[in-house]
Amino acid sequence: MAPPDPGAAPAAPSAPWPQTVVGVGVLLTGAALAYGAIGISSEAGYGGVGPNFLPWLVSIVLIICGAWITWEARSGGFRELEAPSGDDRAYWPGFVWVSAGLLLNAALITTIGFILSCALCYLLAVQGLRRASGQSAAGSARTWVVDFLTGVAISAPVFWMFTKFLAISLPGLTATGWI
């Protein structure tokens, strides 16, 4: 075997496989959504737009983005990608906080209603993120109250928009439909 030629250009690095996998995953997700959109009626509704318009739009955008990500990855990877920030390892307690929020939301939404279950989900998810970033105030009672009230402030208008203006039924705490 001959020694490498010092004047020769360096060999091109192999394309980053994780980026390729993400691109193909996005591409396949778009294709699956398009396949599902085939079965949705195209009969025009209000404003001339049928119920299959948005699924087709999203699937086309996902297919384009997936193809672009795959092409970028296979042609040398993301060339201007910054080095990842944060810790070298995952912060698993934060993952547990966020997962607990999602699971409790799903478990309690029909019991305590949409607003309170979403506020609880928000509270627990933000606690996980605060702890992951090392915020010392994450455990204080004031932070918990502010996070819960912020969750209520976000979920209440969403609940009212869906139930009062769009006439979509969401689980409420009372029979009045306002909470």
Side-chain angles (χ1 to χ4, degrees):
M1 180 171 189
D5 181 13
S14 62
W17 280 102
Q19 294 174 8
T20 302
V21 170
V22 169
V24 170
V26 172
L27 188 65
L28 291 175
T29 301
L33 186 59
Y35 179 74
I38 291 171
I40 299 174
S41 169
S42 63
E43 186 176 315
Y46 179 76
V49 176
N52 69 346
F53 172 74
L54 192 57
W56 275 112
L57 179 68
V58 171
S59 65
I60 290 168
V61 170
L62 282 173
I63 289 170
I64 291 169
C65 289
W68 191 357
I69 292 169
T70 304
W71 177 79
E72 280 286 331
R74 300 310 306 151
S75 67
F78 301 118
R79 289 168 264 313
E80 296 180 26
L81 187 65
E82 294 181 14
S85 63
D87 289 339
D88 293 333
R89 297 181 340 184
Y91 183 73
W92 290 106
F95 173 77
V96 170
W97 279 96
V98 173
S99 297
L102 291 171
L103 294 172
L104 284 173
N105 184 16
L108 297 175
I109 195 166
T110 57
T111 306
I112 64 174
F114 179 86
I115 296 174
L116 294 178
S117 67
C118 288
L120 177 63
C121 178
Y122 179 85
L123 166 73
L124 295 175
V126 169
Q127 280 295 310
L129 296 174
R130 287 185 190 283
R131 292 166 194 270
S133 67
Q135 292 183 10
S136 59
S140 75
R142 182 182 185 283
T143 302
W144 281 69
V145 169
V146 168
D147 289 345
F148 182 76
L149 293 176
T150 303
V152 169
I154 293 169
S155 60
V158 171
F159 177 78
W160 295 325
M161 181 66 72
F162 274 84
T163 58
K164 298 300 177 190
F165 300 114
L166 298 176
I168 296 173
S169 178
L170 292 175
L173 183 60
T174 65
T176 63
W178 283 98
I179 298 178

